[in-house]
Amino acid sequence: MPAEASPAGATPTAHPRASAPARVVVCRDCCCGTPKIVGVDHAAQTARLRALVPVRVSECLDVCEQANVIVVQPSAAGRAAGARPVWLGLVNDPDATEDIAEWVRAGGPGVAPRPDILDLYAITPPRRGPVS
């Protein structure tokens, strides 16, 4: 049976990747997610994001001077619209975490407009040279 066909009465299913939601990567290694960033409840920050969207915890993302770093990856629809990952640094405030969570829940890059307040946190990702 062709992929687009479905038996009578059956609901066609989308390809799993076609509906992949926006995701978040949180840095949690040498600086981000450690007591070096005073006054931040890192576990609560990760839990809040996880309550709304898929979260991957990464080791060092190589921008320690911007700790805590969060990368918002576009959904399948966002990528189809040309969106790229959005890197956010110095996310050390619960309000910023909430702004990120709500933006991603609304669709994230390429789907929902980024709240203006998050422009304050936008950073340039590190450049990685060729492996020698």
Side-chain angles (χ1 to χ4, degrees), residues 8-96:
T11 303
T13 56
H15 186 280
R17 290 186 63 126
S19 62
R23 303 164 196 249
V24 172
V25 177
V26 294
C27 186
R28 294 290 185 260
D29 191 32
C30 61
C31 294
C32 299
T34 71
K36 288 182 183 180
I37 308 301
V38 181
V40 177
D41 186 341
H42 305 288
Q45 183 182 58
T46 303
R48 175 62 183 135
L49 294 168
R50 263 198 183 122
L52 296 175
V53 298
V55 173
R56 183 172 62 93
V57 175
S58 177
E59 290 188 7
C60 190
L61 292 173
D62 294 331
V63 282
C64 296
E65 68 280 1
Q66 299 292 329
N68 283 313
V69 176
I70 294 176
V71 181
V72 181
Q73 298 176 326
S75 65
R79 285 190 303 279
R84 306 286 301 153
V86 174
W87 286 60
L88 303 166
L90 302 174
V91 184
N92 301 321
D93 181 287
D95 291 336

